[in-house]
Amino acid sequence: MGSLQYVSTFHPDGHYGLPPSKKLARTYRTTIKECIVRHVEYYLSDENLPTDSFLQKQIAKNPDGYVDISVIAGFNRVRSMTTDIDIVTDALRFSKVLEVSPSGTQIRKKKSPTTNEHTKSIYVDYIPENSDDASIQAYFTAFGEITSMHINPKGFAFVSFATEEAALSAVAFENHPLGARVI
């Protein structure tokens, strides 16, 4: 494993080739690791995971909810930064929201000791076609602070709240009027 082998495939400034100095190479390595962490955190986030059937199946294969790092390293976006699984594993050890398994071969989202993140998210169906992000966010903000929202053009959305109570109050309220439709 050459120390600069993976740097030659990607630079944050969009250029390819080896960086001109060792100091700059260290900067690129740090940046690549940060990019890897950011992408993998998104892959396993409440925003992405509910709509990612492939990752859901990978998580379901393991009783502890881990995904093999080799699977994550095979994703095109990660492979564009490095093909070295050791670099991916090392980068993921610095994540504040993910944890690497004791064996160092798997990754999962850290479990919160006080709450389950999935209880903060709701599924919303039958969204009117003319609805935009702002109108949906404005409506659901009445129930509590929204941390993320994913709207699918097929007429459904996932809304994540800052607290479980906010999500429960939105679910408890029936017949939400949104535009010309009741959802």
Side-chain angles (χ1 to χ4, degrees), residues 26-74:
R26 279 192 299 276
T27 302
Y28 284 135
R29 275 197 300 269
T30 301
T31 305
I32 289 171
K33 287 180 180 180
E34 290 169 356
C35 288
I36 290 168
V37 169
R38 188 174 62 240
H39 283 292
V40 178
E41 284 177 349
Y42 172 76
Y43 295 146
L44 297 175
S45 71
D46 286 342
E47 187 176 351
N48 181 64
L49 201 54
T51 61
D52 192 325
S53 60
F54 175 77
L55 273 177
Q56 289 174 9
K57 289 175 188 172
Q58 295 298 313
I59 291 169
K61 288 180 183 179
N62 185 293
D64 294 323
Y66 283 104
V67 177
D68 286 345
I69 292 176
S70 62
V71 170
I72 299 291

Coordinates of all heavy atoms in Angstrom, one line a residue, residues 26-74:
R26 N -1.1 15.3 2.6 CA -1.7 15.1 3.9 C -3.1 15.8 3.9 O -4.1 15.3 4.4 CB -0.9 15.6 5.0 CG 0.2 14.6 5.4 CD 0.8 15.0 6.7 NE 1.5 16.3 6.7 CZ 2.7 16.5 6.3 NH1 3.5 15.5 5.8 NH2 3.3 17.7 6.3
T27 N -3.1 17.0 3.3 CA -4.4 17.8 3.3 C -5.4 17.0 2.4 O -6.6 16.9 2.8 CB -4.2 19.2 2.7 OG1 -3.2 19.8 3.5 CG2 -5.4 20.0 2.6
Y28 N -5.0 16.5 1.3 CA -5.9 15.8 0.4 C -6.4 14.5 1.1 O -7.6 14.1 1.0 CB -5.2 15.4 -0.9 CG -5.1 16.5 -1.9 CD1 -3.9 16.8 -2.6 CD2 -6.2 17.4 -2.1 CE1 -3.8 17.8 -3.4 CE2 -6.1 18.5 -3.0 CZ -4.9 18.7 -3.6 OH -4.8 19.7 -4.5
R29 N -5.5 13.8 1.8 CA -5.9 12.6 2.5 C -7.0 12.9 3.5 O -7.9 12.2 3.7 CB -4.7 11.9 3.2 CG -3.9 11.0 2.3 CD -3.1 10.0 3.1 NE -2.1 10.7 3.8 CZ -0.8 11.1 3.4 NH1 -0.4 10.7 2.2 NH2 0.0 11.7 4.2
T30 N -6.8 14.0 4.3 CA -7.7 14.4 5.3 C -9.1 14.7 4.6 O -10.1 14.3 5.1 CB -7.2 15.6 6.1 OG1 -6.0 15.2 6.7 CG2 -8.2 16.1 7.1
T31 N -9.0 15.4 3.6 CA -10.2 15.8 2.9 C -10.9 14.6 2.3 O -12.2 14.5 2.4 CB -9.9 16.8 1.7 OG1 -9.2 17.9 2.3 CG2 -11.1 17.3 1.1
I32 N -10.2 13.7 1.8 CA -10.8 12.5 1.2 C -11.5 11.7 2.4 O -12.7 11.3 2.2 CB -9.8 11.6 0.5 CG1 -9.4 12.2 -0.8 CG2 -10.4 10.2 0.3 CD1 -8.2 11.5 -1.4
K33 N -10.9 11.6 3.5 CA -11.5 10.9 4.6 C -12.8 11.6 5.1 O -13.8 11.0 5.4 CB -10.5 10.7 5.8 CG -9.4 9.7 5.5 CD -8.4 9.6 6.6 CE -7.4 8.6 6.3 NZ -6.4 8.4 7.4
E34 N -12.7 12.9 5.1 CA -13.9 13.7 5.5 C -15.0 13.5 4.5 O -16.2 13.3 4.9 CB -13.6 15.2 5.6 CG -12.7 15.5 6.8 CD -12.1 16.9 6.7 OE1 -12.4 17.7 5.7 OE2 -11.5 17.3 7.7
C35 N -14.7 13.4 3.2 CA -15.7 13.1 2.2 C -16.3 11.7 2.3 O -17.5 11.6 2.2 CB -15.1 13.3 0.8 SG -14.8 15.0 0.3
I36 N -15.5 10.8 2.6 CA -16.0 9.4 2.8 C -16.9 9.4 4.0 O -18.0 8.8 3.9 CB -14.8 8.4 3.1 CG1 -14.0 8.2 1.8 CG2 -15.3 7.1 3.6 CD1 -12.6 7.5 1.9
V37 N -16.5 10.0 5.1 CA -17.4 10.0 6.3 C -18.7 10.7 6.0 O -19.8 10.2 6.3 CB -16.7 10.7 7.5 CG1 -17.7 10.9 8.6 CG2 -15.5 9.8 8.0
R38 N -18.7 11.8 5.3 CA -19.9 12.6 5.0 C -20.8 11.7 4.1 O -22.0 11.7 4.4 CB -19.5 13.9 4.3 CG -20.7 14.8 4.1 CD -20.4 16.1 3.5 NE -19.7 16.0 2.2 CZ -18.5 16.5 1.9 NH1 -17.8 17.0 2.9 NH2 -18.0 16.3 0.7
H39 N -20.3 11.0 3.1 CA -21.1 10.2 2.2 C -21.7 9.0 2.9 O -22.9 8.8 2.8 CB -20.3 9.8 1.0 CG -20.1 10.9 0.0 ND1 -21.2 11.4 -0.7 CD2 -19.0 11.6 -0.4 CE1 -20.7 12.4 -1.5 NE2 -19.4 12.5 -1.3
V40 N -20.9 8.3 3.7 CA -21.4 7.1 4.4 C -22.4 7.5 5.5 O -23.4 6.8 5.7 CB -20.3 6.3 5.0 CG1 -20.8 5.1 5.7 CG2 -19.4 5.8 3.8
E41 N -22.2 8.6 6.2 CA -23.2 9.1 7.1 C -24.5 9.4 6.4 O -25.6 9.1 7.0 CB -22.7 10.4 7.9 CG -21.6 10.1 8.9 CD -21.1 11.3 9.6 OE1 -21.3 12.4 9.1 OE2 -20.3 11.1 10.6
Y42 N -24.4 10.0 5.2 CA -25.7 10.2 4.5 C -26.3 8.9 4.1 O -27.6 8.7 4.3 CB -25.4 11.1 3.2 CG -26.7 11.1 2.4 CD1 -27.8 11.9 2.8 CD2 -26.8 10.4 1.3 CE1 -28.9 12.0 2.1 CE2 -28.0 10.4 0.5 CZ -29.0 11.2 0.9 OH -30.2 11.2 0.2
Y43 N -25.6 7.9 3.6 CA -26.1 6.6 3.2 C -26.9 6.0 4.3 O -28.0 5.4 4.1 CB -25.0 5.7 2.8 CG -24.3 6.0 1.5 CD1 -22.9 5.7 1.4 CD2 -24.9 6.7 0.5 CE1 -22.2 6.1 0.3 CE2 -24.2 7.1 -0.7 CZ -22.8 6.8 -0.8 OH -22.1 7.1 -1.9
L44 N -26.4 6.1 5.6 CA -27.1 5.5 6.7 C -28.0 6.5 7.5 O -28.4 6.2 8.6 CB -26.0 4.9 7.6 CG -25.2 3.7 7.0 CD1 -24.1 3.3 7.9 CD2 -26.1 2.6 6.6
S45 N -28.3 7.6 6.9 CA -29.1 8.6 7.6 C -30.6 8.3 7.6 O -31.0 7.6 6.7 CB -28.8 10.0 7.0 OG -29.4 10.1 5.7
D46 N -31.3 9.0 8.5 CA -32.8 8.9 8.5 C -33.3 9.4 7.2 O -34.4 9.0 6.8 CB -33.4 9.6 9.7 CG -33.1 8.9 11.0 OD1 -32.8 7.7 10.9 OD2 -33.3 9.5 12.0
E47 N -32.6 10.3 6.6 CA -33.1 10.9 5.3 C -33.0 9.9 4.2 O -33.9 9.8 3.3 CB -32.3 12.2 5.0 CG -32.8 12.9 3.8 CD -32.0 14.2 3.6 OE1 -31.2 14.6 4.5 OE2 -32.3 14.9 2.6
N48 N -31.9 9.2 4.1 CA -31.7 8.3 2.9 C -32.2 6.8 3.2 O -32.8 6.2 2.3 CB -30.2 8.2 2.6 CG -30.0 7.3 1.4 OD1 -30.4 7.6 0.3 ND2 -29.2 6.3 1.6
L49 N -31.9 6.3 4.4 CA -32.2 4.9 4.6 C -33.6 4.4 4.4 O -33.8 3.3 3.8 CB -31.7 4.5 6.0 CG -31.5 3.1 6.3 CD1 -30.5 2.5 5.3 CD2 -30.9 2.9 7.7
P50 N -34.6 5.2 4.7 CA -36.0 4.7 4.5 C -36.3 4.5 3.0 O -37.2 3.7 2.7 CB -36.9 5.8 5.0 CG -36.1 6.5 6.0 CD -34.7 6.4 5.5
T51 N -35.6 5.1 2.1 CA -35.8 4.9 0.7 C -34.8 4.0 0.0 O -34.9 3.8 -1.2 CB -35.9 6.3 0.0 OG1 -34.6 6.9 0.1 CG2 -37.0 7.2 0.6
D52 N -33.8 3.5 0.7 CA -32.7 2.7 0.1 C -32.9 1.3 0.5 O -32.5 0.8 1.5 CB -31.4 3.2 0.7 CG -30.2 2.7 -0.1 OD1 -30.3 1.5 -0.5 OD2 -29.2 3.4 -0.2
S53 N -33.6 0.6 -0.4 CA -34.0 -0.8 -0.2 C -32.7 -1.7 -0.1 O -32.7 -2.7 0.6 CB -35.0 -1.4 -1.2 OG -34.5 -1.3 -2.5
F54 N -31.7 -1.4 -0.9 CA -30.5 -2.2 -0.9 C -29.8 -2.1 0.4 O -29.5 -3.2 1.0 CB -29.5 -1.7 -2.0 CG -28.2 -2.4 -2.0 CD1 -28.1 -3.6 -2.5 CD2 -27.1 -1.8 -1.4 CE1 -26.8 -4.3 -2.4 CE2 -25.8 -2.5 -1.3 CZ -25.7 -3.7 -1.9
L55 N -29.6 -1.0 1.0 CA -29.0 -0.9 2.3 C -29.9 -1.5 3.4 O -29.4 -2.1 4.4 CB -28.7 0.6 2.7 CG -27.3 1.1 2.2 CD1 -27.1 2.5 2.5 CD2 -26.2 0.2 2.8
Q56 N -31.2 -1.3 3.3 CA -32.1 -2.0 4.3 C -31.9 -3.5 4.3 O -31.9 -4.1 5.3 CB -33.6 -1.6 3.9 CG -33.9 -0.2 4.2 CD -35.3 0.1 3.7 OE1 -36.1 -0.8 3.4 NE2 -35.7 1.4 3.8
K57 N -31.7 -4.1 3.1 CA -31.5 -5.5 3.0 C -30.2 -5.9 3.6 O -30.0 -6.9 4.3 CB -31.6 -6.0 1.6 CG -33.0 -6.0 1.0 CD -33.0 -6.3 -0.5 CE -34.4 -6.1 -1.1 NZ -34.4 -6.3 -2.5
Q58 N -29.2 -5.1 3.4 CA -27.8 -5.3 4.0 C -27.9 -5.3 5.5 O -27.3 -6.1 6.2 CB -26.8 -4.3 3.4 CG -26.5 -4.4 1.9 CD -26.0 -5.8 1.5 OE1 -25.1 -6.3 2.1 NE2 -26.5 -6.3 0.5
I59 N -28.6 -4.3 6.0 CA -28.7 -4.2 7.5 C -29.5 -5.3 8.1 O -29.1 -5.9 9.1 CB -29.4 -2.8 7.8 CG1 -28.4 -1.7 7.5 CG2 -29.8 -2.8 9.3 CD1 -29.0 -0.3 7.6
A60 N -30.5 -5.8 7.4 CA -31.4 -6.9 7.8 C -30.6 -8.2 7.9 O -30.9 -9.1 8.7 CB -32.6 -7.0 6.9
K61 N -29.5 -8.3 7.1 CA -28.7 -9.6 7.1 C -28.0 -9.7 8.4 O -27.6 -10.9 8.8 CB -27.7 -9.5 6.0 CG -28.3 -9.7 4.6 CD -27.2 -9.7 3.6 CE -27.7 -9.8 2.2 NZ -26.6 -9.7 1.2
N62 N -27.8 -8.7 9.2 CA -27.0 -8.7 10.4 C -27.9 -8.4 11.6 O -28.5 -7.4 11.6 CB -25.8 -7.7 10.3 CG -24.9 -7.8 11.5 OD1 -25.3 -7.5 12.6 ND2 -23.7 -8.2 11.2
P63 N -27.9 -9.3 12.6 CA -28.8 -9.1 13.7 C -28.4 -7.8 14.5 O -29.3 -7.3 15.2 CB -28.6 -10.3 14.6 CG -27.4 -11.0 14.1 CD -27.1 -10.5 12.7
D64 N -27.2 -7.3 14.4 CA -26.8 -6.1 15.2 C -26.9 -4.9 14.3 O -26.5 -3.8 14.7 CB -25.4 -6.3 15.7 CG -25.3 -7.4 16.7 OD1 -26.2 -7.5 17.5 OD2 -24.2 -8.1 16.7
G65 N -27.4 -5.0 13.1 CA -27.6 -3.9 12.2 C -26.4 -3.3 11.5 O -26.4 -2.2 11.0
Y66 N -25.3 -4.2 11.4 CA -24.1 -3.7 10.7 C -24.2 -4.0 9.2 O -24.9 -4.9 8.8 CB -22.9 -4.5 11.3 CG -22.4 -4.0 12.6 CD1 -22.6 -4.8 13.8 CD2 -21.6 -2.9 12.7 CE1 -22.1 -4.3 15.0 CE2 -21.1 -2.5 13.9 CZ -21.4 -3.2 15.1 OH -20.9 -2.8 16.3
V67 N -23.4 -3.2 8.5 CA -23.2 -3.4 7.0 C -21.7 -3.6 6.8 O -20.9 -2.9 7.4 CB -23.7 -2.1 6.2 CG1 -23.4 -2.3 4.7 CG2 -25.2 -1.9 6.5
D68 N -21.4 -4.6 5.9 CA -20.0 -4.8 5.6 C -19.4 -3.5 5.0 O -20.0 -3.0 4.1 CB -19.8 -6.0 4.7 CG -20.0 -7.3 5.4 OD1 -20.1 -7.4 6.6 OD2 -20.2 -8.3 4.6
I69 N -18.2 -3.2 5.5 CA -17.5 -2.0 4.9 C -17.2 -2.3 3.5 O -17.2 -1.3 2.7 CB -16.3 -1.6 5.8 CG1 -16.8 -1.1 7.1 CG2 -15.4 -0.6 5.1 CD1 -15.7 -0.8 8.1
S70 N -16.9 -3.5 3.1 CA -16.6 -3.8 1.7 C -17.8 -3.5 0.8 O -17.6 -3.1 -0.4 CB -16.3 -5.3 1.6 OG -17.3 -6.1 1.9
V71 N -19.0 -3.6 1.3 CA -20.2 -3.2 0.5 C -20.2 -1.7 0.3 O -20.4 -1.2 -0.8 CB -21.5 -3.6 1.2 CG1 -22.7 -3.0 0.6 CG2 -21.6 -5.2 1.2
I72 N -20.0 -0.9 1.4 CA -19.9 0.5 1.3 C -18.8 1.0 0.4 O -18.9 1.9 -0.4 CB -19.7 1.1 2.7 CG1 -20.9 0.8 3.7 CG2 -19.5 2.6 2.7 CD1 -22.2 1.4 3.3
A73 N -17.6 0.3 0.5 CA -16.5 0.7 -0.3 C -16.7 0.4 -1.8 O -16.0 1.0 -2.6 CB -15.2 -0.1 0.2
G74 N -17.7 -0.4 -2.1 CA -18.0 -0.7 -3.4 C -18.9 0.3 -4.1 O -19.2 0.2 -5.3

